[in-house]
Amino acid sequence: MGGAAALHGTWRMISWKRRAIASGAVTDAMGPDPVGYLSYQPDGRVMAVVVRRDRPALKGAVPSDAEKAALFDSMLAYAGTYTYENGRVVHHVDASWNPAWGVSDLIRPFSIDGSRLSITGAPGIDPKNGEEVVYELEFRKV
């Protein structure tokens, strides 16, 4: 099984690194050991959700405005369609936690080795600070 069919199913995130183009600094995009899932369906839909494992606990039943901002900054979620083009998958976002991620397609060069999905050299703009970055993500098949 190759191409887009190899992606079908649900993948659990193992790591998500980001490298800043300007400085070369490498950091964990959602902290160490993020909680995340990426799902590719045969109908051409993709869905992603990622949260920091160390998200802040709420002080009450309803989050304050400050708590909402901290929660927003500690997650990512989007859905859309995907296409397989020249050995890479391109996410065409149509719903997102942050409208900045729906402005352009998300290009994801990838490789699959058994139950391991690696997305490497994925260019992007960090929606938190506008910095040009390259993402490196690793997933395991669920």
Side-chain angles (χ1 to χ4, degrees), residues 30-48:
M30 279 293 177
D33 196 25
V35 179
Y37 292 90
L38 180 61
S39 178
Y40 291 100
Q41 299 306 308
D43 66 357
R45 299 293 303 173
V46 60
M47 289 173 264

Side-chain angles (χ1 to χ4, degrees), residues 4-87:
L7 290 167
H8 293 169
T10 301
W11 302 84
R12 183 175 55 84
M13 181 171 272
I14 303 301
S15 67
W16 182 7
K17 302 286 186 190
R18 67 181 287 286
R19 181 174 48 84
I21 298 297
S23 68
V26 176
T27 57
D28 289 310
M30 279 293 177
D33 196 25
V35 179
Y37 292 90
L38 180 61
S39 178
Y40 291 100
Q41 299 306 308
D43 66 357
R45 299 293 303 173
V46 60
M47 289 173 264
V49 62
V50 182
V51 298
R52 290 181 64 98
R53 187 167 296 278
D54 61 351
R55 294 180 93 194
L58 299 180
K59 295 184 174 113
V62 176
S64 67
D65 287 346
E67 287 173 318
K68 287 178 191 176
L71 291 170
F72 179 85
D73 284 343
S74 66
M75 61 95 53
L76 168 144
Y78 68 85
T81 60
Y82 69 92
T83 52
Y84 176 77
E85 303 170 9
N86 302 318

